[in-house]
Amino acid sequence: VMLAPTGGYSGGAAAAVKSIFNSVASSFAGHGYSSGSSASVGGGYGSPPLNKEHEDLIVKIKGIQRSGEDEKMKWWSFCEKNSVKTFDPARHDTAFLKAFLRDYNSRGVSRERSRSATRLEDDRRYVRLQGVPFSCKAREVADFLERYNVEGSRCVVELGSDQRPTGQAFVAFPSPELASRALEEMQRSMMGSRYIELFPSSFKEFEKASGR
C-alpha cells in the first residue's frame, strides 16, 4: 500500500505534497499499475493492451484452437518456438498474436499451393481420345493403351445427351509420365478402321464424362 509522505510537513505544505502524490499515483494507475500490485505480465512481446483489436485477435486464436487438436498444437508450438510458456492468448500482446496469425495463414497458403500443384500434376494424367469407334467399350480403350498399364476402370467412353457414343473417350493414366508418352507415341494410331487423336485432358473432364 502506498501512502502519501506527509510526515514532516504541516498545513498547506502537507496538502500540496499530498496533492502531488495523488496525481502521480493516478498517472501510474492509468498505465496499468495500482497500489499494492505490480503490472500484469503479458506473454510474447509484452503486456497486452486492452483494446478491441486485441480482443478480436484473442477470439480468432481461441477459435483456431477449438477447431481441432492439430490446430491447437500449432499455437502451442508457436509459443514454445518463441520460448513462451504461457498458452492463454489473453496473456499475450497484440504483436505476438499478429505474428502467430501471419505464420498460421502463410502455412495455410503454402498448403493450398501444394494442393494446387498436386491437382495440376493429377490433371496431367488425363488424356482425351477422339475418333473412337462408336461400338468401342472401355475395355477396348484399355487394350488400345495396354503398354501404358491403363486399366479398363480408368477409361470412360463418352455418351451424348441422347445416350449414344460421341466418338470420344477419357483415360486416367497411372502417372503423368505415361500419359505424356502416350500423347507422343499413340498419336493417329489405328483403332480398328479409325485413327485416334490424343489430347491433354483433366480430372474435371474425366468426371463429367463419367456422369459423376
Side-chain angles (χ1 to χ4, degrees):
V1 176
M2 302 172 68
L3 300 175
T6 57
Y9 298 90
S10 63
V17 170
K18 185 174 182 180
S19 176
I20 293 171
F21 177 85
N22 288 338
S23 177
V24 172
S26 296
S27 176
F28 272 88
H31 285 82
Y33 297 89
S34 60
S35 298
S37 65
S38 60
S40 59
V41 178
Y45 298 117
S47 301
L50 299 176
N51 55 54
K52 188 173 188 309
E53 181 186 26
H54 186 235
E55 292 174 357
D56 289 344
L57 292 170
I58 292 171
V59 170
K60 284 182 182 179
I61 293 174
K62 286 188 174 182
I64 289 171
Q65 291 187 82
R66 285 193 294 269
S67 67
E69 192 63 26
D70 289 345
E71 305 309 294
K72 178 180 179 180
M73 291 309 300
K74 288 171 187 174
W75 163 248
W76 282 46
S77 296
F78 183 82
C79 291
E80 291 175 343
K81 184 177 68 175
N82 287 279
S83 302
V84 174
K85 301 301 180 184
T86 301
F87 302 113
D88 180 1
R91 299 296 302 277
H92 296 271
D93 67 9
T94 300
F96 189 80
L97 301 181
K98 282 185 174 180
F100 166 71
L101 289 173
R102 280 195 301 271
D103 182 76
Y104 180 82
N105 291 331
S106 67
R107 289 173 185 271
V109 169
S110 296
R111 287 193 296 271
E112 182 57 33
R113 285 175 180 166
S114 176
R115 285 194 291 267
S116 295
T118 300
R119 285 195 295 269
L120 178 60
E121 181 177 324
D122 284 346
D123 277 350
R124 290 170 48 218
R125 295 172 50 228
Y126 294 89
V127 172
R128 174 170 62 88
L129 281 65
Q130 186 169 298
V132 175
F134 295 127
S135 61
C136 186
K137 306 298 181 185
R139 181 68 261 171
E140 294 171 89
V141 175
D143 290 343
F144 176 71
L145 300 167
E146 62 179 344
R147 73 175 76 171
Y148 306 102
N149 301 318
V150 170
E151 299 178 2
S153 61
R154 305 303 290 160
C155 300
V156 176
V157 174
E158 185 182 56
L159 302 178
S161 57
D162 58 0
Q163 295 302 302
R164 294 182 178 180
T166 64
Q168 292 195 130
F170 294 84
V171 179
F173 284 75
S175 71
E177 292 73 23
L178 287 173
S180 180
R181 276 182 51 199
L183 284 166
E184 292 181 9
E185 299 170 357
M186 299 298 289
Q187 200 64 251
R188 300 182 74 83
S189 293
M190 300 299 294
M191 182 185 290
S193 60
R194 305 187 60 163
Y195 68 84
I196 306 299
E197 293 181 283
L198 287 77
F199 302 92
S201 186
S202 67
F203 173 74
K204 186 175 181 179
E205 288 187 335
F206 181 87
E207 289 284 277
K208 184 178 179 181
S210 302
R212 298 176 186 175

